[in-house]
Amino acid sequence: PEGLPAVVTLSLAISVRRMAGRNAIVKRLSAAEALGSTTVICSDKTGTMTANEMAVVRICAGGELYDVEANGYEPSGDVLLDDEPVGADPALEQLATVAALCNDSTLLEEDDWTITGDPTEGALLPMARKIGVREKNVRGRYPRVQEVGFDSERKRMSTIHEAEDGYLVATKGAAEVLVDLCTRIITDEGVVEMDEQTREQVADAASEMADDALRVLALACRELDELPDTVDADTIERDLVFVGLVGMIDPPRPEVARSIAECRDAGIAVKMVTGDHRATAAAIAREIGLLNGGRVVDGRELDSMSDEDLAESIDEISVFARMAPDHKVRILEALKERGEIVGMTGDGINDAPALRRSDIGVGMAKKGTDVTREVSDIVLADDNFASIVAAVEEGRIVYDNIRKFTRFLLSANFGELLIISIAVLAGWPLPLLPLQILWVNLVTDGLPALALGVTEGEADIMDRPPRDPEENMLSDMVPYLGVVAALCTIGALGGFIWEMAVHNIGYHEMLQLAAYGHNTEAMPEAAQNALKMAHTVVLTQIVLFELFVVFNCQS
């Protein structure tokens, strides 16, 4: 059908526009259709499944466990000990000082309090103000001179600042990593040696926070008389003094649980891939309905698994915690080894290889880097997991629409082809003129096909399993095409024969008229009028029949 390329392109373009309205910006038209066959979605947690608005709600410092009243990024509320506001406390002040120094974010003092920079770092600034430490003051007192930036392998960062009698190193990072680098700890009695019992107490406090779905961050510091010749992680991040733990919450987006349930009904597996602690990731996964009997695997466990073991057990794993960017590639390859069609999300530069290798790479518009947006097939304008599910739904709708108008166009064209073929083989005059065939194809076929290509989709679109990308679109259409073509042919040729018979033109007379070919002017006048009426009947029957078929192709 000559209208097929135009209708396909228009249908994909309209689908892309609808996806953009649902916060999924499609960079390639083919990706819109490919979404319909997605079988697994590997999604980040922070900012995608959660709101990405961190707030510190618990502090462990000086041997005490404090609660923090949180109100977003607004620095209002108190730090509580046994439900009572605490006053000046050296251990808390030291923790707030380190949190404000080892920090690249800024708290904007506006009517609606916001931060610039990483949300995790930004959450530390309101906490510091509640303790009584303003970041501007402390940063002025301790100017930063150098930095050892955050690294996903080290899971920590450090900054070096000038002090009155030397330098101060401020470090923050994952609790299970940072505690091992500390040899001393700040307590009510001052700075004391950190023994194994103290380490266990810190580890238990961190686990307790993580079990409550809190993201746990450890803070430490170190004083230096002078800077070493080489400033790097090995020379700076050792012999640290443990300052404390902060537990911050990033609540799940309210719509994510519903979206995961939709994926389950649609036969799409969802896997959380996050850098957070396994207990934190598991708690969030349980809250959104993702961890229903599935396993939780962290980076160390994944490293100990062979590629074959990972491929065999990956269906059982729902949450991947403490993952580095290279782990995403291993997870992707294991899923593709099992024949899955994978949609992979990412926001950092190191996520680019996984996004490029995935079937559908999903980048983030808000927190994503230029590199990830460049290699992605789809960019989420709101960084929301629910937008991925909406894009999958639109992908299924556009594939359904392509099937609908393909079924319609082919059935209509096969009918016309069969009519002409039978008439030529029988030696009759052509039941349709070339101009009539052109009219049918351009008007009666093209416009209804365009309408089928932009339908909204059926109610059960997300209750079906993902389609096999290798399936032949025409395989289950052949019986339908045969029946429709046969009905169209019987009706059109029946009308043609009936109209000729009304004008007393039988089979033998039609054979004689066929000898005139296109030179109808040479026919007898009665035969010309009969043939014109027969052409009108056939054209009208085909037009009406195809308009009936287009309604039949809506589902």
Side-chain angles (χ1 to χ4, degrees):
E2 72 286 332
L4 191 60
V7 176
V8 169
T9 303
L10 182 62
S11 179
L12 288 173
I14 291 175
S15 176
V16 166
R17 182 180 179 182
R18 285 206 300 244
M19 289 184 187
R22 303 180 72 174
N23 295 312
I25 302 168
V26 179
K27 297 174 60 181
R28 292 188 299 109
L29 279 181
S30 58
E33 181 269 331
L35 277 166
S37 60
T38 303
T39 59
V40 178
I41 299 175
C42 294
S43 173
D44 292 333
K45 178 184 77 67
T46 304
T48 306
M49 292 184 170
T50 60
N52 201 28
E53 294 180 355
M54 307 294 292
V56 175
V57 295
R58 199 169 302 168
I59 297 173
C60 177
E64 299 287 355
L65 193 62
Y66 302 87
D67 292 318
V68 182
E69 295 178 341
N71 186 19
Y73 291 119
E74 183 176 346
S76 62
D78 296 317
V79 178
L80 307 175
L81 180 62
D82 297 330
D83 296 330
E84 293 293 333
V86 299
D89 185 289
L92 285 178
E93 290 177 1
Q94 182 67 17
L95 179 138
T97 298
V98 172
L101 292 176
C102 189
N103 200 311
D104 291 324
S105 64
T106 304
L107 184 62
L108 301 180
E109 301 180 21
E110 302 174 352
D111 294 336
D112 184 15
W113 289 85
T114 58
I115 59 104
T116 59
D118 182 73
T120 302
E121 290 188 334
L124 299 175
L125 300 182
M127 176 206 70
R129 293 202 185 189
K130 293 170 190 176
I131 295 172
V133 175
R134 294 181 65 90
E135 67 276 8
K136 293 181 180 179
N137 297 339
V138 75
R139 289 172 181 173
R141 191 163 69 250
Y142 297 98
R144 183 185 297 190
V145 293
Q146 289 199 45
E147 175 183 341
V148 180
F150 176 82
D151 183 88
S152 58
E153 297 293 333
R154 292 168 38 248
K155 297 184 175 64
R156 59 188 184 273
M157 72 168 288
S158 298
T159 55
I160 306 170
H161 307 264
E162 287 185 6
E164 292 181 359
D165 52 355
Y167 297 91
L168 176 66
V169 177
T171 304
K172 71 173 187 294
E176 67 271 22
V177 174
L178 199 58
V179 171
D180 292 338
L181 301 175
C182 296
T183 57
R184 291 166 295 166
I185 184 172
I186 295 178
T187 67
D188 291 338
E189 301 174 357
V191 179
V192 300
E193 294 296 320
M194 196 172 187
D195 54 24
E196 287 303 318
Q197 182 179 356
T198 306
R199 293 181 189 277
E200 291 179 4
Q201 292 174 350
V202 172
D204 291 341
S207 296
E208 184 179 343
M209 289 184 185
D211 289 338
D212 291 337
L214 302 182
R215 188 172 189 177
V216 184
L217 203 62
L219 299 166
C221 65
R222 177 189 179 193
E223 294 182 351
L224 296 174
D225 294 332
E226 58 182 20
L227 290 180
D229 295 334
T230 303
V231 177
D232 55 22
D234 294 332
T235 59
I236 296 299
E237 295 173 344
R238 60 185 180 88
D239 297 329
L240 297 173
V241 178
F242 184 79
V243 176
L245 301 172
V246 295
M248 53 188 73
I249 190 169
D250 183 13
R253 293 179 184 265
E255 64 274 15
V256 168
R258 183 176 65 252
S259 297
I260 289 177
E262 288 181 11
C263 287
R264 189 176 294 110
D265 294 338
I268 302 172
V270 179
K271 300 186 183 296
M272 178 191 292
V273 184
T274 179
D276 282 355
H277 191 278
R278 64 182 297 157
T280 304
I284 293 292
R286 279 191 293 269
E287 190 171 345
I288 61 179
L290 178 59
L291 195 61
N292 291 333
R295 290 173 53 194
V296 181
V297 171
D298 61 20
R300 294 179 182 178
E301 188 175 350
L302 186 65
D303 288 335
S304 65
M305 300 171 66
S306 65
D307 292 340
E308 292 76 14
D309 293 339
L310 178 59
E312 290 178 3
S313 60
I314 198 163
D315 287 343
E316 306 170 1
I317 303 172
S318 299
V319 177
F320 294 88
R322 284 297 187 222
M323 291 291 129
D326 59 309
H327 288 144
K328 282 190 173 183
V329 177
R330 284 197 64 196
I331 295 168
L332 174 65
E333 296 299 335
L335 288 169
K336 297 183 75 171
E337 181 71 20
R338 297 183 63 87
E340 306 286 359
I341 307 300
V342 186
M344 177 74 74
T345 71
D347 51 22
I349 294 176
N350 294 331
D351 291 332
L355 295 183
R356 184 177 288 278
R357 296 188 194 184
S358 64
D359 298 287
I360 303 292
V362 183
M364 305 297 161
K366 291 183 177 179
K367 65 174 183 174
T369 62
D370 291 340
V371 174
T372 53
R373 289 194 290 268
E374 181 66 28
V375 302
S376 299
D377 302 300
I378 295 173
V379 177
L380 301 184
D382 58 354
D383 294 7
N384 193 339
F385 178 82
S387 298
I388 305 176
V389 181
V392 170
E393 181 180 359
E394 289 292 344
R396 291 189 173 194
I397 290 174
V398 72
Y399 183 77
D400 260 16
N401 289 346
I402 291 174
R403 284 176 54 87
K404 289 174 185 177
F405 64 66
T406 301
R407 180 190 295 254
F408 169 68
L409 289 176
L410 289 181
S411 61
N413 280 264
F414 274 127
E416 296 166 23
L417 181 64
L418 197 57
I419 291 168
I420 299 297
S421 299
I422 291 176
V424 169
L425 292 175
W428 300 341
L430 288 180
L432 282 172
L433 297 175
L435 190 61
Q436 291 175 320
I437 295 175
L438 183 63
W439 172 267
V440 169
N441 276 268
L442 291 181
V443 180
T444 311
D445 288 357
L447 296 180
L450 288 176
L452 286 176
V454 297
T455 54
E456 295 294 331
E458 299 177 42
D460 66 340
I461 194 74
M462 290 298 284
D463 294 331
R464 311 172 194 167
R467 67 176 180 83
D468 183 355
E470 301 297 327
E471 75 174 3
N472 187 337
M473 182 186 289
L474 302 180
S475 59
D476 63 343
M477 288 188 191
V478 173
Y480 179 85
L481 297 180
V483 170
V484 171
L487 289 175
C488 182
T489 302
I490 292 171
L493 290 182
F496 181 76
I497 295 170
W498 176 79
E499 186 63 34
M500 297 295 280
V502 167
H503 290 80
N504 299 317
I505 297 178
Y507 178 76
H508 294 291
E509 287 79 4
M510 283 198 290
L511 295 178
Q512 294 173 0
L513 291 178
Y516 288 95
H518 293 294
N519 187 19
T520 56
E521 299 294 332
M523 295 181 184
E525 185 176 354
Q528 291 183 33
N529 293 332
L531 197 56
K532 288 179 181 178
M533 291 298 296
H535 284 159
T536 302
V537 168
V538 173
L539 176 64
T540 303
Q541 282 201 324
I542 289 178
V543 169
L544 292 177
F545 183 79
E546 290 189 4
L547 291 179
F548 169 80
V549 170
V550 75
F551 284 102
N552 187 256
C553 290
Q554 275 190 303
S555 174

